[in-house]
Amino acid sequence: MSGVALATRGLVKRYGRRNALDGFTVSVPRGVIMGLVGRNGAGKTTWMMSVAGLLRPTAGEIDLLGRGPFDAAVHAGRVAILPQDSELPLEATPAELLYRYGRLQGLSAAAARKSARDMLAAVNLGDRAGSRIRALSHGMRKRVMLAQCFLGEPELVLLDEPLNGLDPAEQDRMRRFLRARRGRQTIVISSHNLNDIELLCTHVTFVEKGRVVRTSPLTSLTQAAGRVEYVLAEQPADWDAFLAELAAALPGADFARAAGTDASMPAGGAVLACSFDASAVGVADVNRKVLPVLLARAALHAVSPGQSLEQAFLDASGRTSSTSTGIA
């Protein structure tokens, strides 16, 4: 699978004097899971709704699957969306709803029934196929909505906060369900939970004030291949001498104090970043040489490759670091 699944160029959506989208330009490769990261009001939901044909943009271009902006006659069954605040008919059953949605997407009666059964099983609702929506919990209803998005294997799926309202066990199940679709379908996920984005996505787009700040593969954003961060429970008394010892242990690497976003970092702690040439040395070799010095001189709290996605976002948007695990 190659090429571009979705592209928007100079997309503008204006409400009075305010631009919800202000030249939103991005290209989403086929087969990736792209995460949209931005604060409330950044334009993520407006962009998704515009792409899906639910909002009319003021200006700009949209290209879905190489066939222009959304057209039901062209894209039916090929594009699916889960809006953040979706609702379901309370008196219907999951099996009935998914069958009807499958038929609307162009599936035959037999294919719609089979896809409905398969998707309900995939979201762990096979035993509730005949229950009324009214009788389902919020999390169960959310899983019915997720199942609907994957009926008939659409090529492009847009998900706005797909894991909100799910309990931890079902979140884990749905993450595995979504990760299994890498390379098979193109998925765009908008979420304030950066842990979900890091666990699910191959690519990430940062959004600020209706514009794309940066878009890149996740590994490039977090520098996972050439950086290790060490969270120290307390700082060494002589920081300069500490850095000199580390440099001697691993020549060619750069060591520096980094901004910390680890909410569990003890008061008085610090984050040490080690940047290195990933083509010459691996993370395991770096740890083998660096950890003896660290353990002799400092109380080590945690070790992680790269930097957090939150810190990458804060750096890209020019904001100071925080201790939250999401973007409010």
Side-chain angles (χ1 to χ4, degrees), residues 59-108:
E61 300 176 11
I62 299 172
D63 186 13
L64 288 169
L65 305 172
R67 301 292 300 276
F70 182 81
D71 181 338
V74 173
H75 296 102
R78 303 180 67 192
V79 178
I81 183 171
L82 172 62
Q84 182 176 355
D85 298 318
S86 300
E87 296 290 347
L88 297 171
L90 296 180
E91 299 308 320
T93 69
E96 292 169 348
L97 280 177
L98 296 193
Y99 171 77
R100 292 173 190 170
Y101 292 146
R103 294 289 282 156
L104 287 171
Q105 288 179 217
L107 298 179
S108 68

Side-chain angles (χ1 to χ4, degrees), residues 234-252:
E234 57 187 33
Q235 302 182 41
D238 189 340
W239 188 264
D240 290 337
F242 177 55
L243 294 182
E245 283 188 46
L246 291 168
L250 188 63

